[in-house]
Amino acid sequence: MSLLRVENLVKSFGGVHAIQDLSFEIPEGVVYSVIGPNGAGKTTLFNLISGVYTPSSGEILLAGENTRGLAPHQLARRGMSRTFQNLQICMNMSAVENVMVGSHLRLDSSFFKAMLRLPSITRGDRACREQAEELMEFAGVGHYIGSEADAMPYGALKRLEIARALASEPKILFLDEPAAGLNGTETAEIDQLIQKVAQSGVTVVLVEHDMKLVMNISQHLLVLDYGKKLAEGSPDQIRCNPDVIAAYLGAA
Amino acid sequence: MSHIKHLLKTPRYGGLLALVLICLLLPLLLQNAYQFDVAIKVGISAVVVVGLNLLIGYTGQISLGHAGFFGLGAYSSAILTVNYEWSALAALLAGSVGVGLIAFVLARPILKLKGHYLAMATLGLGIIISIVIATEDWLTGGPDGMGVGPFMLFDYEIYGEKAWYWVVAALLVLSVWLALNIIDSPVGRALRAVHGSEVAAQVAGIDTTHYKVLVFVFSAVIASVMGSVFAHYSGFVTPTEAGFFHSIELVTMVVLGGMASTYGGILGALILVLLPQLLSGLEDLEMIIFGLILMLTMIFMPKGLLPTVTGRLKGGKA
Amino acid sequence: MSAEFLQYLFTGITIGAIYALVGLGFSIIYNASHVINFAQGEFLMIGGMCTVALVGTGLPMPVAILAAVAVTAVAGLALQKFAVAPARNAEVVTIIIITIGASIFLRGLVQLVWGKEFHALPAFSGDEPITIGGATILPQSLWVLGITLVIVVALSWFFNKTLLGKAILATSHNPDAAKLMGINTGFILLISFGLSAMLGAIAGILVAPITLTSYDVGIMLGLKGFVAAVLGGLGSGAGAIAGGLILGIAEAMAAGYISSDYKDAVPFVIILAILFFMPSGLFGLRGTERV
């Protein structure tokens, strides 16, 4: 069974069809990439899958369960996590706290216990902070452990966001343009980080413009154009697909 | 000096210890009943502001109607003890449970709103409460207000400024302790994440509506309790306690002292209660100067006093 | 239609037109700068009080009115230049406090100059009520309605036909693009506050003969104007006008048929109900947050 299955998905804004009758499956344990020209509907697709938008019609099944009507936090509980194209880091918090937000689901978050600071809260927090620091090391931003988020450079924030997304211990991780705005060295580092994440057993779904990065690390690709599926297959298949070449040359 | 600086920097208990010391030592400096009275009023506002700061400063949800909850608490105590001869403690508890329920029911539809729409809704709520209080004079005494009896705790009466000072000081320390606990916990991080990026909080598994409702109810209940305390302390309540200007005053304390700074809010309460006392000799100029100070502080220290000052002390950017 | 109903309707439309003008003032500033100006009500107060004072010095009414509108416009420009512009990047709540500080300051200033008493402005053309269908209407109400209509027409001409008006609209839609097109957006913000202050002043002068005026008359009128603007969907001019009229009529009907005690609560009850069920106002469209 595939981990994520999308069937006949449609999303319209007013009269504009952002996603049109889209179906695909993501098997467990792969790096899966969604590519396509600007405005092809990639981010909309992520927003639909993560519950930020509601589909106009069609189904999304996560591990066999229909996600219709589930809010983002309920999807998180079922093993879904994501990052954002335009960073969504909480600038009012420290770097570590941002990552700790990611482990919210696994902590005792009772208001009354927190108010009285009962031992279960203290214990949970200590473990959670340690894990957050490990994740920051893992993501390559270990030297920012003592920093406030608003004191970190852009490239480091991109990786901090991945660390936060990992803190919920997801089964499937959606990365929306993780290399956007990064230079060559930083992109290579993100590339390594994504491979490390994939090796740890997390299914990774990627939206990315950087073709080299995408072709390098994904086993499977989905090409979108104007909200429709243009092609699907392995990097080699996509590279030789005449429709894809036409769309990309046409768009460029 | 550096010692104090060090204390203030310690995350939780440093600041709390400083607050306890200030509360313990302050009576040595206060010389007469008037000064105690001002200190008590600062304390009452400060407790409300500590709660409100969780909502506005930490969670980023504005409320221009919290005086409504303060007023409901005050009038619950007044009406239940005077008209129905309840004990003061029972009236206080009943008032805060009632306010908690009202806040809980209204929180969901209200907190779906954002920005100026949220400001409008909370403003409207506060104004409606104050109009109801002013209009139902058979119950509330109308615009002239009503008298309230002393606070009898079992057989002991809280009597005189000194006794009230210790009650309010204890409540202030308690509220700060609770607030600090909340802020540095999964709940507090969830609240701050709502402010920082609501969508990021959601995909991290945080039921943001749930937390917004919780903090709204919590801050409303604190306002209600302090309304009850105020009613018994002052012995008299009027609809202005629930009015638009009192709401604005409370928000201003939060913003002036420093959003997302618990101690900043207390500083804001101190300034906003003291300022009219200091300006009262100026009669006609009072409003002009008050308005000017409000504008200038917010223009030059948009983050509020305490965060700006501590920012300068650390030598970093304000 | 019963005479009673007609009477309430006249009252409602008159006060509704005033709310509409205040709401328009909120909308113009909101569009240009995304600021809710809590000092909007003070523009009404300054307009009314200034006219009273100038008429008191023996100036003819039209001259006094023009001068009062000019004074208020200057207050609006000063508010933007010295209080709002310096805090451009502050949080919503910070700017709210700044405009509230400004409103307290302006109220204090007027109270210092003209005292705390109520002042009466003579009606523009007599106090002899006109009878229509069994109900009476004051000539001043006709002035209110007529001038509101003229203003609405003039504003729609201004925003649709003049270069400056179009520049204001462009800035409200996309400030960055407007800047790139060579529009001086700082100037546009300034003009918006000036324009909004003039609208407020006119509303304040129109209503002064009906309700009397004093240093604190702007508070409630301002808040209800804010309700009108939100009711119609923040930033929508037509919405603000419709919102204002709806509020005025609902308020008059409630006062007449239910209880005048809760007259002032009516707009707030309506807006809460609307916000609970239609979160972007009656005519508002809400954009989707892009993430």
Side-chain angles (χ1 to χ4, degrees):
Chain A
M1 187 184 61
S2 52
L3 183 55
L4 189 90
R5 204 161 107 196
V6 170
E7 288 173 6
N8 311 108
L9 191 66
V10 176
K11 177 67 180 178
S12 346
F13 296 104
V16 185
H17 298 290
I19 296 288
Q20 306 183 41
D21 199 28
L22 185 65
S23 303
F24 62 92
E25 290 182 26
I26 300 177
E28 196 164 348
V30 297
V31 176
Y32 189 101
S33 290
V34 182
I35 61 170
N38 264 330
K42 304 179 300 281
T43 295
T44 305
L45 178 64
F46 267 29
N47 283 338
L48 287 165
I49 295 176
S50 59
V52 176
Y53 295 165
T54 317
S56 304
S57 69
E59 314 294 338
I60 299 165
L61 292 101
L62 178 64
E65 185 193 1
N66 196 325
T67 64
R68 177 169 293 273
L70 292 179
H73 70 268
Q74 293 166 316
L75 289 164
R77 199 174 282 281
R78 287 161 175 77
M80 190 182 283
S81 190
R82 72 169 283 190
T83 64
F84 297 86
Q85 186 181 347
N86 51 354
L87 277 177
Q88 294 287 335
I89 291 290
C90 303
M91 293 301 182
N92 54 340
M93 299 164 83
S94 72
V96 175
E97 282 174 329
N98 263 283
V99 181
M100 289 167 83
V101 165
S103 35
H104 184 82
L105 282 172
R106 286 177 293 108
L107 294 174
D108 184 345
S109 53
S110 141
F111 192 83
F112 286 97
K113 286 189 199 163
M115 196 165 85
L116 302 172
R117 203 165 181 77
L118 297 183
S120 68
I121 297 285
T122 326
R123 260 199 315 272
D125 259 13
R126 206 179 298 129
C128 164
R129 184 175 292 272
E130 277 168 19
Q131 190 222 18
E133 290 176 358
E134 279 166 24
L135 275 171
M136 284 181 68
E137 300 280 3
F138 177 81
V141 282
H143 47 294
Y144 290 108
I145 281 173
S147 299
E148 293 297 311
D150 62 4
M152 290 170 67
Y154 179 78
L157 290 173
K158 284 291 244 193
R159 285 193 265 168
L160 184 70
E161 202 181 20
I162 295 178
R164 180 179 66 196
L166 287 171
S168 62
E169 296 179 356
K171 285 192 284 208
I172 185 165
L173 172 64
F174 291 81
L175 301 174
D176 196 349
E177 299 203 17
L182 300 184
N183 64 31
T185 329
E186 289 171 326
T187 305
E189 285 166 1
I190 283 278
D191 182 345
Q192 284 172 5
L193 175 58
I194 296 172
Q195 300 206 27
K196 271 202 299 183
V197 172
Q199 276 157 19
S200 71
V202 180
T203 305
V204 179
V205 188
L206 209 58
V207 158
E208 187 48 69
H209 273 304
D210 192 316
M211 275 303 137
K212 206 174 128 235
L213 175 72
V214 168
M215 294 295 178
N216 209 2
I217 63 178
S218 30
Q219 283 97 51
H220 206 90
L221 286 97
L222 170 70
V223 189
L224 288 185
D225 196 20
Y226 296 106
K228 281 191 274 206
K229 189 201 291 184
L230 190 68
E232 198 184 351
S234 69
D236 285 337
Q237 287 168 324
I238 296 299
R239 215 172 274 139
C240 321
N241 186 308
D243 290 342
V244 176
I245 295 167
Y248 268 82
L249 291 179
Chain B
M1 189 62 206
S2 74
H3 184 62
I4 294 174
K5 237 167 86 179
H6 180 74
L7 263 184
L8 287 172
K9 273 184 187 169
T10 339
R12 200 171 5 247
Y13 295 109
L16 198 59
L17 190 67
L19 180 69
V20 170
L21 283 176
I22 290 171
C23 287
L24 285 175
L25 296 178
L26 192 62
L28 300 177
L29 298 175
L30 300 175
Q31 287 158 355
N32 51 40
Y34 166 74
Q35 291 179 351
F36 269 96
D37 176 65
V38 173
I40 291 165
K41 283 180 176 149
V42 170
I44 290 175
S45 290
V47 178
V48 180
V49 167
V50 166
L52 197 56
N53 210 339
L54 285 175
L55 179 71
I56 298 178
Y58 287 96
T59 319
Q61 309 297 309
I62 193 173
S63 168
L64 299 182
H66 255 58
F69 299 126
F70 184 90
L72 283 179
Y75 272 91
S76 302
S77 281
I79 292 165
L80 290 175
T81 55
V82 174
N83 298 7
Y84 299 94
E85 295 178 351
W86 285 36
S87 82
L89 190 62
L92 179 147
L93 291 176
S96 52
V97 169
V99 165
L101 284 176
I102 292 172
F104 180 74
V105 170
L106 293 172
R108 256 167 209 277
I110 282 189
L111 293 165
K112 264 197 310 202
L113 305 165
K114 293 187 197 315
H116 294 112
Y117 290 95
L118 180 62
M120 173 84 267
T122 48
L123 184 156
L125 179 66
I127 289 183
I128 292 170
I129 292 174
S130 69
I131 291 179
V132 170
I133 291 176
T135 307
E136 300 300 322
D137 50 5
W138 59 277
L139 189 64
T140 62
D144 298 334
M146 67 185 286
V148 191
F151 198 108
M152 302 291 297
L153 200 59
F154 308 107
D155 281 335
Y156 174 74
E157 181 191 341
I158 301 174
Y159 180 77
E161 275 80 9
K162 280 196 177 138
W164 278 107
Y165 174 86
W166 293 115
V167 170
V168 171
L171 286 171
L172 179 61
V173 171
L174 176 68
S175 68
V176 170
W177 181 68
L178 294 178
L180 294 178
N181 283 346
I182 290 170
I183 293 158
D184 188 22
S185 78
V187 176
R189 285 193 298 275
L191 298 177
R192 285 180 289 158
V194 168
H195 191 185
S197 165
E198 189 161 351
V199 69
Q202 286 167 344
V203 302
I206 294 166
D207 181 353
T208 52
T209 314
H210 170 74
Y211 284 100
K212 286 198 261 181
V213 170
L214 270 182
V215 73
F216 188 76
V217 171
F218 182 72
S219 60
V221 168
I222 288 191
S224 167
V225 169
M226 294 323 286
S228 295
V229 167
F230 171 82
H232 287 291
Y233 166 67
S234 71
F236 202 78
V237 287
T238 64
T240 51
E241 261 79 72
F244 174 61
F245 283 105
H246 191 206
S247 285
I248 292 299
E249 226 169 52
L250 293 171
V251 176
T252 307
M253 289 171 184
V254 172
V255 182
L256 190 74
M259 287 207 280
S261 160
T262 299
Y263 297 112
I266 298 174
L267 183 65
L270 177 72
I271 292 171
L272 241 65
V273 174
L274 274 186
L275 205 54
Q277 309 288 337
L278 299 176
L279 295 178
S280 64
L282 298 169
E283 304 274 334
D284 285 347
L285 287 174
E286 186 186 330
M287 280 171 81
I288 295 183
I289 296 175
F290 186 72
L292 263 183
I293 290 176
L294 219 54
M295 280 196 290
L296 293 177
T297 336
M298 293 329 302
I299 290 170
F300 293 109
M301 298 185 220
K303 289 191 171 169
L305 281 168
L306 199 62
T308 308
V309 170
T310 50
R312 297 248 164 93
L313 280 180
K314 281 180 191 163
K317 54 190 166 98
Chain C
M1 224 185 299
S2 77
E4 198 183 32
F5 178 82
L6 206 58
Q7 187 66 59
Y8 298 148
L9 192 65
F10 287 160
T11 315
I13 292 177
T14 306
I15 194 71
I18 297 294
Y19 296 161
L21 288 178
V22 189
L24 266 180
F26 272 104
S27 276
I28 289 173
I29 289 181
Y30 180 79
N31 261 343
S33 60
H34 275 243
V35 166
I36 289 295
N37 172 29
F38 274 86
Q40 191 68 26
E42 306 325 314
F43 295 151
L44 278 85
M45 180 273 289
I46 296 174
M49 292 293 280
C50 253
T51 313
V52 169
L54 291 173
V55 167
T57 65
L59 276 180
M61 184 89 111
V63 180
I65 290 175
L66 284 179
V69 172
V71 168
T72 316
V74 170
L77 297 177
L79 175 66
Q80 202 278 336
K81 182 101 186 129
F82 299 116
V84 177
R88 186 89 48 84
N89 299 320
E91 288 207 43
V92 166
V93 56
T94 306
I95 296 182
I96 287 181
I97 305 284
I98 290 176
T99 60
I100 287 173
S103 78
I104 297 173
F105 173 77
L106 290 173
R107 232 177 286 142
L109 201 63
V110 168
Q111 177 224 324
L112 182 69
V113 179
W114 291 307
K116 285 188 169 186
E117 303 80 33
F118 276 96
H119 299 268
L121 184 66
F124 296 2
S125 53
D127 294 319
E128 196 64 43
I130 304 158
T131 309
I132 305 171
T136 57
I137 189 165
L138 288 171
Q140 188 66 26
S141 290
L142 297 178
W143 277 104
V144 171
L145 296 176
I147 292 182
T148 304
L149 195 66
V150 170
I151 287 175
V152 169
V153 172
L155 278 180
S156 95
W157 172 80
F158 174 73
F159 280 116
N160 292 312
K161 298 279 187 258
T162 68
L163 196 60
L164 183 58
K166 287 181 188 171
I168 295 179
L169 282 186
T171 307
S172 75
H173 289 311
N174 190 337
D176 294 330
K179 211 174 278 172
L180 287 173
M181 298 303 290
I183 296 173
N184 180 349
T185 51
F187 178 69
I188 295 292
L189 293 183
L190 198 59
I191 289 296
S192 308
F193 271 78
L195 190 61
S196 180
M198 284 165 68
L199 276 184
I202 294 169
I205 296 165
L206 284 171
V207 78
I210 302 176
T211 61
L212 300 182
T213 188
S214 77
Y215 79 107
D216 61 357
V217 79
I219 302 168
M220 219 24 159
L221 282 171
L223 290 178
K224 288 180 183 172
F226 180 31
V227 175
V230 175
L231 186 62
L234 263 180
S236 152
I241 295 163
L245 290 174
I246 291 171
L247 288 188
I249 294 169
E251 199 180 294
M253 293 294 162
Y257 288 114
I258 304 168
S259 153
S260 63
D261 291 339
Y262 280 108
K263 183 172 78 71
D264 281 338
V266 170
F268 300 101
V269 172
I270 292 177
I271 196 64
L272 273 182
I274 293 292
L275 287 176
F276 284 5
F277 298 110
M278 308 160 128
S280 314
L282 271 182
F283 314 102
L285 290 171
R286 177 188 257 181
T288 319
E289 198 184 346
R290 190 173 159 81
V291 290

